[in-house]
Amino acid sequence: MLQGKRILLIVGGGIAAFKSLELIRLIRKAGGAVTPVLTKAAHEFVTPLSASALAADKVYTDLFDLTDEAEMGHIELSRSADLIVVAPATADLIAKMAGGHADDLASTLLMATDTPVLIAPAMNVRMWLHPANQRNIATLEADGIQRIGPDEGDMACGEYGPGRMSEPQAIFDVIQTQLSDGPLSGKHVIVTSGPTHEPIDPVRYIANRSSGAQGTALATALARLGANVTFVTGPAMVPPPQGVNVVPVETADQMLNAVKSALPADIAIFAAAVADWRVVSEAKNKIKKGKTGAPKLNLDENPDILATVSRLRKNRPDLVVGFAAETENVIANATAKRKRKRCDWIVANDVSPETGIMGGDENAVTVIDAQGAESWPRASKTDVARRLAARIADAL
Ligand code: CTP
């Protein structure tokens, strides 16, 4: 429920604007308050009257409306909300946000705020994929702006691909997660996930079979308990979770840097299958077959991200959880790994091919802490994630 919560809903000018009316209805039904802000272009798609009627609140449109300033200055308007939602976030609005523009009410509010912001992009597939838009999205990600979608599918313009705004119910679910007073609300959790790719040359890399499914499920479960999650992910097979701050990386070095920049955190969970080695010097050009036979790859050990964070004197999270991917003597090896890496808990799993766990939908884990080992029955990765998130919430 959203009782006592206020959402500032910025509606951009796109065909998906009509869906934002349904979003207003869902928020109101859950007991939340909505203040709609319509950009000039949004007026072409929805009327202030319909937004106002559904929100049962005044609709703001113009930066220079003196009545609005007398009632509530634009600074106050942006700060009084618990969450700012931009839906639909058009390519233009996204570009303005990334560039720090403040030339109308919507962009000024977004610049003036220190409130968390969630965007739901909607645009033509070519616009979404355009390098300029992708650059802007990466900038917003780095700024900590949360994003849901866009979804893939048939578009109003007749094309197919990513660009459709997420459905109002999906946006509402993320809003609810974000504002829920769950046991982890107010806690910052870093989750690493997926494999890392260590380049050999411009076309080849060292990798592993991790799909990122367990880390993704865990981030979702933690966010559902109210945590503010920074999700540092290597190139995973599954799509990243919604409603968390996604930081995409490729290599172990990049993952370590991303984790360091995300600190401080209350909890850190290392579910990534980090490549243990990297090639000392990545070849500039594609390595060619030659008379000298197969190339000798000179490998160096990657930094151990979990061990680095566990050993921090300053900024060590209160709870550090590692994973142990083993193929033999699972509990004994994982117990030794917990001590060696100095983490508080280690979640051990058997990744031998016959278990089907690595890259599969299920997991069978043993949680090891200072008290001992607790084996859980095999279950879906989603259920394992929920149980682990609940154990973490209990431990704090
Ligand atoms: N890990 C890490 N950085 C690395 C290697 C591993 O943060 N360079 C983390 C993983 O995310 C996981 C834990 O350490 O939480 C254990 O990873 P695992 O692959 O099981 O162990 P390794 O350290 O690689 O040891 P080994 O290969 O000898 O089993």
Side-chain angles (χ1 to χ4, degrees), residues 267-331:
I267 304 158
I269 303 169
F270 296 87
V274 183
D276 289 320
W277 305 284
R278 65 171 178 278
V279 177
V280 173
S281 44
E282 175 190 350
K284 259 213 179 91
N285 294 309
K286 186 179 167 215
I287 302 172
K288 292 290 201 189
K289 286 196 287 289
K291 287 186 193 125
T292 47
K296 303 272 175 293
L297 294 180
N298 198 1
L299 299 180
D300 212 352
E301 200 164 310
N302 267 330
D304 192 314
I305 307 164
L306 168 62
T308 306
V309 172
S310 292
R311 283 182 166 78
L312 288 176
R313 283 171 192 274
K314 217 180 114 204
N315 270 350
R316 185 194 192 275
D318 294 335
L319 182 66
V320 177
V321 181
F323 273 69
E326 306 292 344
T327 53
E328 56 183 348
N329 304 327
V330 176
I331 296 183

Side-chain angles (χ1 to χ4, degrees), residues 326 328-337 346 348 366 368 372-375:
E326 306 292 344
E328 56 183 348
N329 304 327
V330 176
I331 296 183
N333 281 347
T335 304
K337 206 173 262 181
I346 204 149
T366 301
I368 300 167
E374 189 182 300
S375 291

Side-chain angles (χ1 to χ4, degrees), residues 3-42:
Q3 248 97 21
K5 304 288 180 194
R6 173 167 293 278
I7 289 125
L8 187 72
L9 176 65
I10 296 179
V11 182
I15 188 72
F18 77 93
K19 289 193 197 171
S20 58
L21 296 179
E22 171 64 3
L23 183 59
I24 295 175
R25 201 188 62 75
L26 289 169
I27 297 168
R28 296 275 301 146
K29 202 171 134 211
V34 194
T35 308
V37 172
L38 265 55
T39 65
K40 212 167 156 220

